[in-house]
Amino acid sequence: MIRRLVPAVAVVALLAGCSDSTDPDRPVGDAAPGTLRVLAGSELADLQPILDEAAKATGISVKFSFTGTIEGAEKVASGAAEQGFDAVWFSSNRYLELVPEAQKRLGTPAKVMSSPVVLGLPAEKVKELGWDGRRVGWAEIAEAAGAQKFTYGMTDPSASNSGFSALVGVAAALSGSGSALDAARIDAVAPQLEQFFSAQKLSAGSSGWLSEAHARRATGEDPGAEVDGLINYESVLLSMPQPLTLVYPSDGVVTADYPLTLLTSASSEAREAHQKLSDHLRSADVQRKIMETTHRRPAVPQVQLDGRFAVRDLVELPFPGSQSAVDGLITTYFDRLRRPSRTLYVLDTSGSMQGDRIDGLRQALVGLTGADESLAGKFSRFHGREQVTLLPFSSSARPALKYEVPQDDPRPVLDQIRTTATSLDASGGTAIYSSLRGGYAVLRQQIDADPDRFTSIVLMTDGENTGSEGITDFQLFHQSLTPDLKGIPIFPVLFGESATAEMEQVAKMSGGKVFDARSRSLSAAFKEIRGYQ
Amino acid sequence: MKRTLGTGLAVVLLLGVVTAIVLGQGSGEQAQLQTVRGVIGSEKLAFFADQRVRDVFAKHGLKVEVDPAGSRQIATATDLNSYDFAFPSSAPAAEKIQRDRKAARTYAPFSSPMVVATFDPVVDLLTKAGVVKTGPGYQTFDVQAYLELAAKGTRWDQLPGNTAYPARKNLLVTTTDPRDSNSAAMYLAITSFVANGGVVSSQDAEAKVLPAVSKLFLDQGYTQSSTEGPFEDYLSAGMGKTPLVLAYEAQFVDRVVRGDSSVRPDMKLLYPAPTVLSKHTLVPLRETGDRVGQLLQSDAELGRLAATFGFRTADPRHFNDMTKEKNLTVPQTIVDVVEPPAHETLERMLEAIAKQY
């Protein structure tokens, strides 16, 4: 699901006993007896202790490589997954099965556990809303959200399955027709959906980061405005250190069912390994252990749900039956339903960026204007209504280039951004902090004119600061900012010879997150950041 | 006391001798076993993989190796040259193979009616709504009444007096994907029969029924591709996710026979009126494949074993004995059974539905 590539790669390396394989098609190496190579959603990482025990019991060890659902679907559909994997394991096969080229490559699935996507709110908030001790439906939740009676965080539906499930669920429930969604039905409930999403104040590319950011904002560790609740997996919400009260919408949910699915290309050894491992994971004792340690629901009827699951029988909402319906829903979410974004790109165009680096930067930006035709690329383009500001800098900040992408006909503005991006040139010094400071002046103006947006800053630089203002000056400046500016997350991108420690500090003070582009393209990093904007 | 002990000892001794003979035979024949390869509907995979079944075939000098595949796939896509027999799960698929391969005969050693598995509260609700009726010794699912509710796009929460399952979703039987699965094709056979008032056998009739039957699939949205998927959801996720699921009777019976407590007391079987039989039909492609067909048809031990997997056997005694032994309340005979349309008709309708996704 999640595209936190850096920790993922680190985990893989650890699991593989630090393999020397760097073949991008075979991140976990060649087929080997007793090994199941699995392309998976990163939320499966918490199953490692269970899998370690499974390895002891069955002799089959799992080697994970993590990716997002949509990227994963793309890898399966293109046949790339078959090159280096025996099986896939995501929170659900639903999206994969809607892509015909991916569907035909999926073999036997074994559902291992399940977890519905629900709303978690602080107990006092639930009481205040009058939802204590009674079930409420999505319509009532949407209405309360529209009236700003509570706020919440949710992951990006194109990057992470929990956000995706929530989007499908709320749209299906509100459409009221009760059957699967199509474009006309989505249109009919767009006003209600807009209400619901108006209370979403936090977005993230991964379920894990979302809960962490929520917790940090609650304690004041992050400067961003506190967010009441979260939409996330029941399992994630149940394992939070400060537990939230779970709201199970009475009209239904969308549930992740984690099918460990063989690829049809798998060898007969891998088939046997898959069978053995599935049987083990689905045995009653292991199912109970999964429930106890990961808070997910068991997949076999022999194991009874224990007391932690407050609501047992959950209505499952219908899921769209075609890829075009799903893609349409995600596109509508970005271009129309959710609060629009305001994104400021502070971009290093100093002399050291000459050559491949400036070219990589141009490509990364051009990719976001719709040139990236991959499934994942399609959704990460600049969205309708988004305010995009490019602030290139070298020895000092250059003039800010401001764009607003229209909702209905985005193409001309996207083309303008593309033209600007391709004409970026590299020369001069690297005045990081004075340029970053300058960015806040632009944002101040924009926020004053139109406060209700997801606002964030991307800071891309390939080296040490050469300007007269340093990190300490910036820190003082940042502390003096008004709360609305101080709470804007900064997403620094590590590239070339970036000053890693300083970038970490910038991310931390602003409640942002560092993205690493040193071992992958800037495009990949920029795409991943889209989930947080 | 003494006498009992004596008899017991004799039995043990006798058993020892029999075991020795069987083992002796087994190891002697092991080397001479002839391998027979078949491609089969995946519902029968567990049967062929069972050691007791393999032992019976071994006694007759055969080692049966099978590859699972979708029944529609077997009829249309699979290269059958490397197989000695094809064993799809439906008669229309078998017909097509028989015709294409000019097979002299076919065997239908076991069958299973299509059923709707559900839960007590849903049975009550649907009884009030006129969909569930008391049939001849068993409860039926009135397909005509169901089609009328589905045509109106009725949601569960719109059923009058429904407090047991007020879900805000359409009242629909959960099926598999009509693009992939045999059970979905069988469902289409049932619903098209009712919508047409008889077996669909002309293109006019196809055109007439398609709007109504397409809706039954399309309104479900996403559906899974193998029959195991929704049935497992029915067992483990329960009424919330899958209030009504289309299944083979054999799937349900198999679970009860296993006694793994996955079938709970509130789970109930309804027989669609009318229903169709999924006729597991073996088409011999070579001489050895024919022998497998003969054995499945006539060998009492294989018949008994098939019954424990929930299949209704060509000789109904095996199935009936098994249900008596396990105290299963399933009807001995199902009266309202109709024939599925011809393979070509079924395929054309399935393709027309697939195009609308």
Side-chain angles (χ1 to χ4, degrees):
Chain A
M1 247 25 16
I2 307 159
R3 307 192 206 134
R4 280 198 292 175
L5 208 73
V6 180
V9 167
V11 169
V12 166
L14 265 176
L15 295 179
C18 258
S19 90
D20 44 12
S21 154
T22 47
D23 180 349
D25 281 342
R26 295 194 170 98
V28 290
D30 291 326
T35 304
L36 201 63
R37 299 168 303 158
V38 182
L39 182 64
S42 63
E43 59 204 72
L44 269 311
D46 69 350
L47 222 55
Q48 199 55 53
I50 301 276
L51 294 174
D52 290 342
E53 282 175 25
K56 273 184 218 142
T58 63
I60 311 293
S61 50
V62 168
K63 281 193 191 173
F64 275 138
S65 173
F66 296 125
T67 185
T69 308
I70 290 179
E71 282 185 353
E74 196 148 43
K75 280 189 183 138
V76 175
S78 70
E82 292 176 358
Q83 302 304 311
F85 298 97
D86 309 304
V88 294
W89 199 356
F90 295 102
S91 49
S92 147
N93 277 353
R94 282 179 290 235
Y95 190 81
L96 278 158
E97 291 200 0
L98 294 180
V99 183
E101 282 302 308
Q103 197 260 345
K104 69 178 196 196
R105 292 180 158 93
L106 296 178
T108 318
K111 291 176 188 170
V112 172
M113 54 204 179
S114 74
S115 196
V117 173
V118 297
L119 170 66
L121 285 172
E124 54 289 8
K125 197 49 143 177
V126 173
K127 212 171 266 170
E128 193 185 305
L129 287 159
W131 296 349
D132 211 7
R134 74 180 180 97
R135 299 283 300 274
V136 289
W138 282 107
E140 197 172 340
I141 294 172
E143 205 187 309
Q148 304 295 309
K149 288 185 179 155
F150 72 94
T151 59
Y152 64 90
M154 180 184 118
T155 60
D156 176 332
S158 72
S160 155
N161 183 67
S162 62
F164 181 45
S165 301
L167 173 62
V168 169
V170 65
L174 290 180
S175 81
S177 75
S179 56
L181 288 169
D182 55 31
R185 289 192 175 116
I186 296 168
D187 269 354
V189 291
Q192 271 176 291
L193 287 169
E194 276 169 42
Q195 278 199 324
F196 175 71
F197 288 117
S198 70
Q200 187 196 349
K201 305 293 180 187
L202 180 62
S203 174
S206 89
S207 303
W209 192 84
L210 184 76
S211 339
E212 289 159 24
H214 174 267
R216 282 196 306 263
R217 288 189 178 195
T219 59
E221 193 188 334
D222 276 6
E226 205 178 318
V227 177
D228 295 326
L230 284 178
I231 290 186
N232 216 326
Y233 297 110
E234 176 188 54
S235 61
V236 174
L237 295 172
L238 286 175
S239 45
M240 287 175 57
Q242 299 290 325
L244 295 169
T245 300
L246 271 51
V247 177
Y248 295 88
S250 57
D251 38 5
V253 292
V254 172
T255 304
D257 55 9
Y258 301 96
L260 171 54
T261 309
L262 203 63
L263 290 169
T264 49
S265 57
S267 67
S268 53
E269 286 88 3
R271 267 163 216 277
E272 253 170 60
H274 172 262
Q275 180 70 49
K276 233 178 177 173
L277 184 67
S278 310
D279 289 348
H280 172 82
L281 293 174
R282 286 169 55 87
S283 65
D285 287 347
V286 179
Q287 287 282 301
R288 214 165 285 121
K289 188 140 199 197
I290 289 176
M291 171 168 71
E292 280 156 13
T293 58
T294 76
H295 311 288
R296 294 194 187 91
R297 299 178 178 225
V300 304
Q302 292 86 342
V303 178
Q304 296 294 312
L305 291 182
D306 64 22
R308 87 192 72 198
F309 305 102
V311 179
R312 283 152 190 247
D313 250 338
L314 294 170
V315 172
E316 184 74 13
L317 288 162
F319 195 86
S322 72
Q323 191 192 356
S324 60
V326 173
D327 291 357
L329 180 59
I330 298 177
T331 308
T332 309
Y333 167 79
F334 284 127
D335 289 348
R336 176 168 175 198
L337 301 177
R338 71 168 220 158
R339 291 166 64 232
S341 296
R342 168 180 295 127
T343 42
L344 171 68
Y345 285 85
V346 182
L347 303 168
D348 186 343
T349 57
S350 63
S352 59
M353 282 289 290
Q354 272 170 18
D356 286 351
R357 288 183 182 180
I358 192 77
D359 210 42
L361 175 60
R362 290 180 195 136
Q363 276 174 24
L365 289 169
V366 169
L368 300 184
T369 63
D372 183 340
E373 284 175 351
S374 66
L375 278 174
K378 252 187 344 197
F379 298 123
S380 52
R381 76 157 163 80
F382 294 124
H383 306 305
R385 307 168 300 154
E386 183 166 357
Q387 281 181 353
V388 181
T389 303
L390 305 182
L391 183 61
F393 70 91
S394 51
S395 304
S396 62
R398 297 179 187 174
L401 304 152
K402 298 183 219 169
Y403 305 92
E404 184 157 342
V405 184
Q407 179 175 321
D408 296 323
D409 182 18
R411 185 43 46 208
V413 173
L414 292 175
D415 285 343
Q416 286 172 26
I417 300 177
R418 185 184 305 205
T419 309
T420 306
T422 40
S423 60
L424 288 177
D425 265 324
S427 67
T430 312
I432 299 175
Y433 297 105
S434 58
S435 306
L436 187 54
R437 181 169 50 79
Y440 283 90
V442 177
L443 292 174
R444 176 77 273 158
Q445 273 185 341
Q446 291 178 329
I447 291 173
D448 286 346
D450 173 10
D452 191 29
R453 283 173 175 264
F454 283 103
T455 303
S456 62
I457 300 171
V458 175
L459 171 63
M460 194 287 302
T461 161
D462 77 333
E464 302 274 343
N465 179 41
T466 62
S468 56
E469 286 179 37
I471 178 88
T472 323
D473 301 304
F474 179 72
Q475 187 133 32
L476 286 171
F477 164 77
H478 193 264
Q479 276 162 8
S480 72
L481 287 170
T482 53
D484 54 349
L485 289 175
K486 206 197 293 191
I488 297 171
I490 303 175
F491 302 118
V493 181
L494 300 181
F495 191 53
E497 296 79 38
S498 286
T500 312
E502 282 189 12
M503 293 298 113
E504 293 282 1
Q505 223 177 317
V506 168
K508 195 165 178 349
M509 72 173 87
S510 64
K513 172 176 159 51
V514 168
F515 294 83
D516 200 332
R518 288 173 301 187
S519 54
R520 56 175 171 158
S521 68
L522 268 179
S523 283
F526 274 36
K527 255 204 276 191
E528 189 188 354
I529 295 172
R530 294 296 289 160
Y532 298 77
Q533 295 173 319
Chain B
M1 190 64 204
K2 233 178 172 178
R3 281 236 317 251
T4 323
L5 196 72
T7 323
L9 253 178
V11 172
V12 169
L13 283 174
L14 194 65
L15 269 179
V17 173
V18 173
T19 314
I21 293 172
V22 172
L23 282 178
Q25 269 188 351
S27 53
E29 271 179 326
Q30 202 69 42
Q32 305 149 22
L33 288 187
Q34 186 172 12
T35 301
V36 194
R37 300 196 62 229
V39 56
I40 65 167
S42 50
E43 298 80 8
K44 297 176 291 281
L45 194 58
F47 171 78
F48 280 101
D50 191 279
Q51 191 55 46
R52 295 165 300 171
V53 172
R54 298 162 81 121
D55 288 346
V56 177
F57 280 119
K59 227 166 37 185
H60 294 279
L62 298 178
K63 178 170 191 271
V64 182
E65 281 181 0
V66 290
D67 287 332
S71 298
R72 295 180 55 208
Q73 201 188 341
I74 300 175
T76 51
T78 309
D79 176 16
L80 295 175
N81 287 325
S82 58
Y83 294 106
D84 302 305
F85 67 91
F87 199 2
S89 305
S90 81
E95 256 169 49
K96 168 147 198 319
I97 301 166
Q98 186 185 15
R99 221 173 323 125
D100 288 353
R101 308 288 302 197
K102 303 192 173 51
R105 58 168 306 179
T106 60
Y107 299 89
F110 29 86
S111 65
S112 193
M114 302 312 299
V115 294
V116 172
T118 184
F119 301 86
D120 278 335
V122 176
V123 171
D124 293 344
L125 271 177
L126 292 183
T127 305
K128 282 187 207 128
V131 176
V132 173
K133 294 184 173 149
T134 306
Y138 53 90
Q139 282 184 307
T140 60
F141 180 84
D142 186 324
V143 179
Q144 179 69 47
Y146 166 67
L147 288 184
E148 280 161 23
L149 282 181
K152 284 184 279 185
T154 312
R155 288 196 318 253
W156 287 99
D157 63 354
Q158 291 170 330
L159 290 180
N162 174 5
T163 50
Y165 188 66
R168 198 178 169 80
K169 63 175 178 179
N170 280 24
L171 197 166
L172 288 172
V173 174
T174 302
T175 68
T176 44
D177 193 318
R179 292 165 286 191
D180 305 310
S181 155
N182 180 60
S183 65
M186 293 292 99
Y187 182 61
L188 177 60
I190 298 172
T191 52
S192 65
F193 182 97
V194 175
N196 184 48
V199 178
V200 173
S201 57
S202 70
Q203 304 225 6
D204 281 352
E206 285 170 34
K208 181 180 120 192
V209 303
L210 267 170
V213 294
S214 301
K215 200 170 149 59
L216 302 176
F217 293 104
L218 298 171
D219 277 1
Q220 289 182 65
Y222 165 84
T223 45
Q224 300 180 60
S225 51
S226 143
T227 318
E228 270 311 302
F231 189 66
E232 270 192 30
D233 286 346
Y234 165 76
L235 294 173
S236 62
M239 185 165 84
K241 181 160 187 185
T242 326
L244 294 167
V245 65
L246 182 82
Y248 299 103
E249 182 195 51
Q251 286 178 292
F252 194 92
V253 174
D254 170 48
R255 288 292 182 146
V256 177
V257 172
R258 271 196 237 173
D260 60 3
S261 71
S262 54
V263 175
R264 298 194 308 265
D266 67 334
M267 293 177 168
K268 289 287 139 61
L269 272 197
L270 302 173
Y271 290 81
T275 189
V276 297
L277 293 181
S278 162
K279 262 188 204 149
H280 298 272
T281 309
L282 186 146
V283 186
L285 304 172
R286 297 203 186 89
E287 186 52 39
T288 45
D290 195 79
R291 284 207 54 206
V292 173
Q294 282 171 27
L295 284 171
L296 287 171
Q297 185 99 323
S298 56
D299 187 272
E301 185 57 28
L302 285 178
R304 268 195 297 279
L305 288 168
T308 65
F309 285 87
F311 296 114
R312 290 182 183 251
T313 42
D315 180 348
R317 233 182 12 202
H318 302 310
F319 184 76
N320 292 342
D321 286 354
M322 185 278 301
T323 56
K324 246 177 251 147
E325 189 194 319
K326 301 281 174 188
N327 229 344
L328 261 171
T329 46
V330 288
Q332 292 209 349
T333 43
I334 295 145
V335 287
D336 199 354
V337 176
V338 296
E339 288 301 315
H343 178 79
E344 283 68 23
T345 307
L346 206 49
E347 281 298 305
R348 252 198 318 271
M349 288 197 287
L350 288 166
E351 261 156 42
I353 295 168
K355 274 200 202 112
Q356 299 171 62
Y357 273 91

